[in-house]
Amino acid sequence: MASTTLFSNALRKVLPARSRNEAGGRAYALPPKHQLAQFAATGCFNQTYYAYGADQLDRVKALCREVEPEFIAKTAIYARERGYMKDMPALLCAILATEDGELLESIFARVIDNGKMLRNFVQILRSGETGRMSLGTRPKRLVREWLASRKDEEIFEASVGNSPSLADIVKMVHPRPATRSREALYGWMIGRDYDAASLPQIVKNFEAFKSGESAKVPAVPFQMLTALNLGREQWAEIAVNARWHMLRMNLNTFARHGVLEDPQVVKKLAGRLADPRRIKSARAFPYQLLAAWRATGTEVPKKLKDALESAMEAAIQNVPRVDGKVYVFPDVSGSMGAPVTGFRPGATSAVRCIDVAALVSASFVRKNPQTEVIPFGSNAMEWKPERGSTVMQNAEALARLWGGGTNCAAPLRKLNARKAKADLIVYVSDSESWMDIARGRGTATMEEWNRFKTRNPRARLVCLDLQPYASTQAYNREDVLNIGGFADNVFEIIGQFAARGMNAKQWVEVIEEITL
């Protein structure tokens, strides 16, 4: 009988890999729409292990010339609403300002949904990178409408930040205040004469606190208060009233100012940190909780560290429960040591791609106890989670395996050698494989996947890419899903693909189904 491994139909279906990835290895180039989605979900315009931020910007602009404006608009919505990105969706809106103003108008309120996004949009538009140096008539009107649609308190809170500041934007677009309080607020913001009696109450409270007329800490953005001379009780008020992200990021600061010496305050803060509603509202990345957990100093009480671990359980609720056997392949090679959001002078994230890969792996183990994890670098490795360990602890242990080259085919080759069975395989990688050499025209990963499919015809493969690159080791088809990003929404897409198999939508199809 002829060998089913050598002469199967699956093997004959392997397409030639005509591209090279950034590491020089054989790869499949993603289609333009998929490339744009990949950049939008993972790119932060910062230097990655293999590319500079300027390269990303040039590539995104080129890709936008290859796809229809409608897809640009839908990708902007996906990147903001589901990927929680900031710079990329603002850039896509700025491109639409030149390419299709009506489409920009239809998505503006959904994408430019807070003051930070508004400042990003204006900054990018005026930079000249999208073909213009000024806002123009329609964008100015959209910005004025954005300002008019916000309450005074929202405008005041959005006034934090520079380059440009919200005051700069007000000077650019000349909004017409509809109320006396808004007129006074704009005057206060831009340094012109204003009627102090007409200021919104929140501004009056802030000014009274600054001048010493009031000892009550106003409910204003954290950044407006930290430069002031504050006592421990005032710091405690700030901590209790802080937004979720501000609380997560400043536990050590509150400890230094004695706030965490009060058990009642600690109890309140722990409750806020672990509140699922607040976590969802904050659009928290699971890796941000890992970063906070790792950064907590010895002065931070265990109750707050435990609260961060509880918050992680809420943040990974979208990790799917899969019927059947699951393998997760986290890439622990050298390039995965790059910061997940890229290198930024003075503001580089301490969380690396390998930390996110480890976190995804540990999350699957938490939700699917039968999951096996096979880390890979130059070779596939053995790793087992510790019994009773939390997601955080398992992710920490797994991330310590970091180092070596990249051989994406290695874990699949290991499974094929032991004739393993599985229903779902998930790669978490930057897909920059260069050590594995294919014998045929495709990539070694695709060859090994097809061998695996001869024994597991219903198995599905997911390649979760964490970096803004334009190639993959396994091309999209009915049993292969390529997806990019590090927000928890990717878990939902993986779950749908695992459950529906050949009837599941590919990632680009999910984006295309967004209603404008």
Side-chain angles (χ1 to χ4, degrees), residues 34-313:
H34 198 123
Q35 287 187 43
L36 181 60
Q38 180 69 30
F39 277 95
T42 59
C44 298
F45 297 127
N46 301 312
Q47 180 183 345
T48 66
Y49 193 87
Y50 288 107
Y52 290 94
D55 298 332
Q56 295 181 44
L57 176 59
D58 290 343
R59 189 64 185 133
V60 169
K61 290 191 296 184
L63 286 167
C64 285
R65 292 191 290 269
E66 296 185 51
V67 304
E68 63 272 16
E70 185 174 336
F71 186 76
I72 299 173
K74 291 180 177 181
T75 302
I77 291 173
Y78 177 89
R80 182 62 187 149
E81 292 186 345
R82 306 186 194 179
Y84 310 154
M85 302 300 284
K86 300 180 183 71
D87 293 346
M88 278 293 178
L91 170 65
L92 297 179
C93 283
I95 289 172
L96 286 176
T98 301
E99 298 297 325
D100 195 317
E102 290 186 5
L103 271 176
L104 170 65
E105 192 158 353
S106 70
I107 70 167
F108 192 82
R110 293 177 66 177
V111 179
I112 310 303
D113 58 357
N114 62 31
K116 170 63 175 172
M117 290 300 297
L118 186 71
R119 291 191 293 108
N120 284 353
F121 171 73
V122 173
Q123 178 189 9
I124 292 170
L125 200 58
R126 296 181 72 240
S127 70
E129 288 290 347
T130 59
R132 58 199 304 171
M133 298 289 288
S134 62
L135 292 185
T137 303
R138 191 192 303 262
K140 276 188 178 182
R141 175 172 56 79
L142 291 173
V143 171
R144 284 195 294 267
E145 290 173 354
W146 188 98
L147 292 168
S149 69
R150 264 62 185 179
K151 297 178 181 178
D152 289 341
E153 292 77 11
E154 293 177 277
I155 297 296
F156 174 74
E157 292 184 3
S159 66
V160 175
N162 297 297
S163 302
S165 66
L166 193 63
D168 294 330
I169 295 174
V170 168
K171 293 175 184 176
M172 291 177 205
V173 303
H174 306 292
R176 292 183 178 179
T179 63
R180 293 182 66 182
S181 64
R182 182 59 60 90
E183 182 179 12
L185 176 58
Y186 285 155
W188 177 85
M189 287 174 55
I190 65 178
R192 293 183 179 174
D193 293 336
Y194 60 89
D195 178 12
S198 297
L199 282 172
Q201 190 61 48
I202 190 171
V203 185
K204 291 179 181 178
N205 294 344
F206 178 58
E207 289 296 324
F209 183 75
K210 283 199 306 177
S211 66
E213 294 177 17
S214 171
K216 181 175 176 58
V217 178
V220 301
F222 181 87
Q223 300 93 321
M224 290 182 168
L225 300 171
T226 52
L228 304 178
N229 186 20
L230 305 173
R232 188 172 76 171
E233 290 185 2
Q234 293 169 323
W235 274 104
E237 280 191 64
I238 292 173
V240 170
N241 293 320
R243 299 278 177 87
W244 189 89
H245 273 300
M246 196 58 66
L247 176 58
R248 168 187 69 84
M249 296 167 63
N250 287 278
L251 293 176
N252 291 332
T253 299
F254 296 139
R256 283 198 305 273
H257 290 280
V259 172
L260 306 184
E261 295 173 9
D262 185 336
Q264 292 303 314
V265 171
V266 170
K267 182 179 179 181
K268 287 181 181 179
L269 299 186
R272 291 170 67 87
L273 279 175
D275 185 345
R277 291 174 301 175
R278 294 180 190 274
I279 295 166
K280 183 176 181 179
S281 177
R283 296 178 173 181
F285 288 120
Y287 82 78
Q288 291 172 325
L289 285 160
L290 177 62
W293 182 79
R294 289 168 60 179
T296 52
T298 55
E299 295 180 340
V300 176
K302 183 176 183 298
K303 192 176 188 69
L304 290 174
K305 295 181 181 179
D306 291 344
L308 289 171
E309 298 208 51
S310 297
M312 178 63 77
E313 297 294 334

Side-chain angles (χ1 to χ4, degrees), residues 430-471:
D430 60 5
S431 296
E432 294 304 301
S433 194
W434 57 274
M435 294 188 69
D436 40 2
I437 300 174
R439 290 182 296 178
R441 299 180 301 165
T443 62
T445 299
M446 204 65 196
E447 290 178 358
E448 293 296 337
W449 173 242
N450 272 1
R451 291 188 179 91
F452 187 82
K453 286 283 289 185
T454 60
R455 298 188 315 279
N456 300 274
R458 296 177 62 83
R460 276 89 72 192
L461 173 66
V462 175
C463 299
L464 174 57
D465 199 333
L466 302 177
Q467 290 285 265
Y469 301 135
S471 64

